[in-house]
Amino acid sequence: MVILKITQICRVAVAIFISLLACTQRTTEPDMIVNPNADASAYSFLSLGDSYTIGESVSANYRWSVQLADMLRKDGEDVGEPDIIARTGWTTAELQNAIKTSGNQKTYDLVSLLIGVNNQYRGQSQDQYRIEFRELLQTAIKFAGDRAAHVFVLSTPDWGVSPYAAGQNKINIAQDIDQFNTIAKDECHKVSIAYIDITPLSRSAAGDDSQFASDGLHYSGKQMKLWAEKALPVVKALLKK
């Protein structure tokens, strides 16, 4: 009986370890990806975030911000490929630390921010998220040359609808994601930053494997294209400000 209990405990421990490893797996990309041809474009673009911005498990051209830049160019806006500071597994604090260590002193015409899923996944407090998200908004504004009107935020997608989340409490995950997004939306409103709600789009992917990457956790380029399409009219308007 004792041996059986120990075996069961070990199995649970291994399952938890694998779960954490899958959600915090890091890409081989550097923390900051710089577009070498940025100066050749009329508008520069910086994209800040975590796995959803770096495009974990998908090709670079499927990243949502890369797709958005391509859509803008097709609509006649001379926007360069985005510089990206993002890494799978990052929380708000880890993104802020990476920005500091990057030494990036450039200013941009567009700055995007998508962060929060790892705060939720790790069970970090919403009060902590509010403080750190607020600081990131100020960092984003600084990158935009102190122009809040040139910053935009995407809401956190709901990973609870992914194949990876099978067997987990999807209702609780959704409620948590909504609460974190409410904080982000509130903080954006306070400083007049555009907030784009892509969470319903992510939830519409439930049951459609084509909208998820090969790891079963992150989203495919097909789903991220929807995010870019949702952001497109908002960002076009920002460029005119």
Side-chain angles (χ1 to χ4, degrees), residues 172-231:
N172 284 353
I173 294 170
Q175 290 174 342
D176 282 350
I177 293 291
D178 287 344
Q179 289 167 0
F180 275 84
N181 279 332
T182 295
I183 292 170
K185 183 177 182 179
D186 181 51
E187 291 301 321
C188 287
H189 179 74
K190 289 177 182 177
V191 288
S192 300
I193 284 178
Y195 178 85
I196 302 168
D197 187 6
I198 62 168
T199 309
L201 291 173
S202 73
R203 287 172 175 155
S204 71
D208 182 356
D209 289 346
S210 70
Q211 298 202 52
F212 294 94
S214 58
D215 62 10
L217 172 59
H218 297 94
Y219 290 92
S220 69
K222 180 179 179 180
Q223 170 67 201
M224 286 190 282
K225 181 181 179 181
L226 300 179
W227 305 352
E229 289 173 343
K230 182 74 179 286

Side-chain angles (χ1 to χ4, degrees), residues 48-65:
L48 306 172
D50 50 36
S51 60
Y52 295 133
T53 294
I54 200 62
E56 181 64 42
S57 299
V58 301
S59 301
N61 58 308
Y62 286 141
R63 294 167 178 153
W64 75 264
S65 55

Side-chain angles (χ1 to χ4, degrees), residues 121-157:
Y121 184 84
R122 296 189 200 176
Q124 294 185 356
S125 77
Q126 293 174 21
D127 288 341
Q128 177 184 355
Y129 176 71
R130 183 182 291 276
I131 292 169
E132 294 172 355
F133 185 82
R134 184 184 298 153
E135 292 172 351
L136 279 170
L137 288 182
Q138 292 304 315
T139 297
I141 291 171
K142 183 177 180 181
F143 271 127
D146 295 323
R147 299 171 296 174
H150 287 245
V151 178
F152 63 103
V153 168
L154 267 61
S155 67
T156 295

